[in-house]
C-alpha cells in the first residue's frame, strides 16, 4: 500500500520508524497517543512495517464491508495464532476449519442457548457475591479485575465444557489461568517486531512455556476424554456440539486437535474481554455517582428490597440502564481494542488511498469510539448515549466493540447476558467505594483491563433500596 499520502507521527527515525513514544508493554495506549491527533486515518512505520490505522467512522464503514475486506490475522492476533492455530478466532477467512467450526457452534450462541446457560451463570455470580460478602465483612478490599476474571473463567468453563475450575475456592488463580496468561505473554513478546533483546531474554523461559502449554493441553484433554468416556454428563454445550455434530452441509466433523484448540480459544476469548468490561464499568460507576444511583434504582425497581433476588432469564434485557453502562464502558475502553482487515481485491479507500489485494489496516476501536464527528464530548462517560433509540441516530459502523461482519464476536450475547446479570447483582447488593487516590491505569495483554483497581464494599440494607428508588424517580421527574 502506498502510504505516502497518509499522515504519520512526527519524529520518524531512519530505519526504526515511528517508535518514539511507543511502549512495548502498552502498545495500544502508546499507539493511541501517537496517532490520535492525526485524523481518521494514519500510518506508523515500525522497523519497516507500515501499520495503517483507521479511526474514523466513514472509513470504518468501508473496511467493515465484507465484500471488499476480510478479517486479517494481524499483529495483535499472531500470538494467539501461535497457540491455537486455525481455531475460530484466529483462522484466516478462507481456512476451511473456520466455516466448519462456525456452523457447528452457532447453535450454542442463540437466545435459546442463553436460556440454558442462565442458571449456571447465576450460580457463578452468586459465588462472586459470597466471596465479596466475606471481604465486606472483613472490611478488606477486593481486586476487581482479578475477581471478575474468576467469574468469567468459571462461567465459560461450566457452561461451555461442564468443567469447574473452583475459581472462588482458592486465593490464587487456577493453574490453568496462570499458565494461559504466561503462554500468551510469551507468544506476544516472541512476535513483537521491536524486541529482539527481549526475545533473547525470553529464550530462558521457553522451557517454562512448554510446561505451561503441556499443562493447558492436559487439562483440556482430560475434560474432553472424560466426556467421551461418559464419565461426565453428555450435554448440548460447546463441547457436546463439537464432539457429536457433523456439518449439516458437508458431513465433516472437527478433528481432535482442532477441538482442543477451540476449547482453549473459548477459554481465552470467552473470559478476558468480559472480565475487563465488567471492571471498567465498575470503575466508571464509582467515578459517576449519578450514574451509579440510576443503575441501582433500576435494579432495585426490578428486584425489590430483598437481599437475595433470583433474576429470571427475562429480567436481564429489562436492565437497560445497566446494559447502557456496559455499552458505554466498552465505548471508552473496548476490551478487545481493535481488529485487522485485509483488502480482498485492489481497492481505493476513502476515495484516495490505494490498497492492493492483501494490504491490511487495523481499526483501532478506542479511536473509532471517540470519533468527534459522531460522539460529542467523546471523553465523557455518558450511558445515555445508549438510551433506547439513540443508536439509530448514529452511523452503524461508529461502534464496534464486538468486531464486524461474519467474523464478529460469536459470544456477544453470552458476554452481555453474563455481564448485565453480574453487574446488576453487584449493584443491588453493595455500595462500591474506590480508593480515592486511584488513577486509572490500563494493563494490556491480548485485552485491556484496569490495573490495580480495588474496591471496598459495604452491604446495602433493604431500606436503602427503596429510598434509592424514590430518589431516582424524583430525579427523573425533575
Ligand atoms: C465483552 C466481551 C467481549 C468482547 C468485547 C469481544 C470482542 C470480540 C471481537 C472484537 C471479536 C472480533 C475480533 C476480530 O475481528 O479479529 C471477537 C471474536 C470472537 N469472540 Fe468475542 N468478545 C467478547 C466476549 C466473548 C465471549 C464471552 C466469547 C465466547 C463465549 C467470545 C468468543 C469469540 C470468538 C470465538 C470469536 C471469533 C469469531 C469468529 O471469527 O468467527 N467472545 N470478539
Amino acid at each position: 500500500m502506498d502510504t505516502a499520502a497518509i499522515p504519520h507521527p512526527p519524529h520518524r527515525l531512519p530505519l526504526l520508524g515511528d517508535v518514539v513514544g511507543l511502549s512495548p508493554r502498552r502498545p495500544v495506549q502508546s499507539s493511541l497517543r501517537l496517532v490520535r491527533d492525526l485524523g481518521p486515518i494514519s500510518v506508523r512505520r515500525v522497523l519497516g512495517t507500515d501499520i495503517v490505522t483507521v479511526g474514523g467512522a466513514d472509513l470504518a464503514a468501508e473496511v467493515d464491508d465484507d465484500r471488499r475486506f476480510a478479517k486479517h490475522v494481524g499483529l495483535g492476533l499472531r500470538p494467539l495464532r501461535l497457540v491455537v492455530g486455525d481455531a475460530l478466532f484466529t483462522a484466516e477467512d478462507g481456512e476451511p476449519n473456520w466455516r466448519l467450526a462456525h456452523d457447528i457452534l452457532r447453535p450454542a450462541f442463540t437466545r435459546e442457548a442463553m436460556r440454558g446457560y442462565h442458571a449456571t451463570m447465576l450460580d457463578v455470580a452468586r459465588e462472586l457475591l459470597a466471596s465479596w460478602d466475606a471481604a465486606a465483612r472483613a472490611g478488606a478490599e477486593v481486586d476487581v479485575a482479578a475477581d471478575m476474571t474468576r467469574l468469567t473463567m468459571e462461567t465459560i468453563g461450566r457452561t461451555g465444557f461442564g468443567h469447574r475450575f473452583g475459581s472462588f475456592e482458592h486465593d490464587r488463580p487456577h493453574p490453568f489461568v496462570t499458565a494461559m496468561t504466561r503462554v500468551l505473554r510469551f507468544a506476544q513478546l516472541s512476535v513483537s517486531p521491536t524486541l529482539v533483546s527481549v526475545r533473547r531474554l525470553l529464550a530462558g523461559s521457553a522451557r517454562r512455556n512448554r510446561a505451561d502449554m503441556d499443562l493447558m493441553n492436559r487439562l483440556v484433554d482430560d475434560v474432553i476424554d472424560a466426556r467421551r468416556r461418559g464419565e461426565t454428563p453428555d450435554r448440548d454445550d460447546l463441547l457436546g456440539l463439537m464432539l457429536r455434530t457433523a456439518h449439516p452441509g458437508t458431513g465433516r466433523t472437527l478433528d481432535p486437535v482442532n477441538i482442543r484448540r477451540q476449547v482453549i480459544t473459548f477459554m481465552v476469548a470467552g473470559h478476558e474481554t468480559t472480565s475487563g468490561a465488567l471492571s471498567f464499568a465498575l470503575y466508571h460507576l464509582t467515578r459517576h455517582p449519578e450514574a451509579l444511583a440510576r443503575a441501582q434504582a433500576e435494579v432495585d425497581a426490578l428486584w425489590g428490597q430483598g437481599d437475595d433476588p433470583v433474576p429470571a432469564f427475562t429480567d436481564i434485557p429489562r436492565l437497560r440502564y445497566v446494559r447502557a453502562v456496559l455499552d458505554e464502558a466498552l465505548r471508552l475502553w473496548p476490551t478487545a481494542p481493535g481488529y485487522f482487515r485485509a483488502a480482498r481485491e485492489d481497492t481505493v479507500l476513502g476515495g484516495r488511498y490505494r490498497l492492493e489485494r492483501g494490504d491490511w489496516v487495523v481499526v483501532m476501536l478506542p479511536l473509532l469510539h471517540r470519533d468527534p464527528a459522531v460522539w460529542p464530548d467523546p471523553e465523557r462517560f455518558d450511558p445515555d448515549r445508549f438510551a433506547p433509540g439513540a443508536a439509530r441516530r448514529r452511523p452503524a459502523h461508529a461502534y464496534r466493540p464486538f468486531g464486524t461482519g461474519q467474523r464478529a464476536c460469536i459470544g456477544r450475547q453470552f458476554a452481555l447476558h453474563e455481564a448485565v446479570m453480574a453487574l446488576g447483582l453487584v449493584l443491588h447488593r453493595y455500595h462500591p467505594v474506590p480508593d480515592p487516590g486511584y488513577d486509572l491505569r490500563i494493563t494490556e495483554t491480548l485485552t485491556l483491563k484496569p490495573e490495580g483497581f480495588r474496591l471496598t464494599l459495604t452491604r446495602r440494607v433493604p431500606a436503602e433500596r427503596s429510598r434509592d428508588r424514590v430518589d431516582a424517580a424524583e430525579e427523573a421527574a425533575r
Side-chain angles (χ1 to χ4, degrees), residues 71-72 77 88-91 98 102 109 156 238 262 265-266 269-275 277 330 334-341 365 400-404 406-412 414-416 418-419:
K71 170 159 172 159
H72 171 64
L77 285 188
L88 210 46
F89 202 99
T90 42
W98 176 75
H102 175 83
F109 292 99
I156 185 68
L238 297 178
Q262 304 288 3
T265 293
F266 276 102
H271 89 285
E272 277 237 335
T273 41
T274 316
S275 145
L330 280 170
T335 50
Y339 50 86
F340 291 78
R341 304 283 289 170
L365 290 170
R400 282 282 177 261
F402 291 97
T404 191
Q406 65 169 4
R407 300 301 299 272
C409 181
I410 200 171
R412 176 173 172 274
F414 183 103
L416 290 171
E418 174 187 16

Side-chain angles (χ1 to χ4, degrees), residues 186 197-210:
F186 182 86
S197 54
V198 176
R199 252 184 255 163
R200 253 184 229 127
L201 269 178
L202 266 176
S205 58
R207 189 182 304 167
R208 193 183 61 193
N209 185 57
R210 270 194 302 278

Side-chain angles (χ1 to χ4, degrees), residues 359-474:
D359 283 347
W360 54 265
V361 303
V362 54
V363 177
M364 207 185 251
L365 290 170
L367 275 185
L368 177 67
H369 293 173
R370 288 171 170 78
D371 180 350
V374 178
W375 306 97
D377 198 1
E379 293 296 337
R380 190 164 55 91
F381 174 78
D382 178 10
D384 282 331
R385 298 179 203 270
F386 294 90
R392 276 200 298 279
R393 295 191 287 276
R394 276 193 292 271
H397 298 273
Y399 183 67
R400 282 282 177 261
F402 291 97
T404 191
Q406 65 169 4
R407 300 301 299 272
C409 181
I410 200 171
R412 176 173 172 274
Q413 289 217 57
F414 183 103
L416 290 171
H417 193 86
E418 174 187 16
V420 169
M421 176 154 67
L423 185 58
L425 286 169
V426 163
L427 297 175
H428 187 259
R429 200 168 183 91
Y430 307 107
H431 290 293
V433 183
D435 168 358
Y438 179 74
D439 284 324
L440 182 61
R441 288 187 308 280
I442 296 174
T443 173
E444 297 186 22
T445 45
L446 264 184
T447 64
L448 306 181
K449 276 192 206 153
E451 182 178 321
F453 174 50
R454 294 171 177 277
L455 286 176
T456 310
L457 303 158
T458 50
R459 287 281 296 268
R460 299 173 73 213
V461 295
E464 286 175 73
R465 295 200 177 103
S466 50
R467 202 182 58 226
D468 283 351
R469 191 159 71 207
V470 174
D471 287 349
E474 279 170 2

Side-chain angles (χ1 to χ4, degrees), residues 93-117:
D93 253 19
E95 284 184 290
N97 273 341
W98 176 75
R99 170 63 60 196
L100 181 60
H102 175 83
D103 290 355
I104 288 177
L105 288 166
R106 192 77 224 149
F109 292 99
T110 59
R111 187 167 156 74
E112 256 335 277
M114 297 309 123
R115 194 184 289 279
Y117 303 142

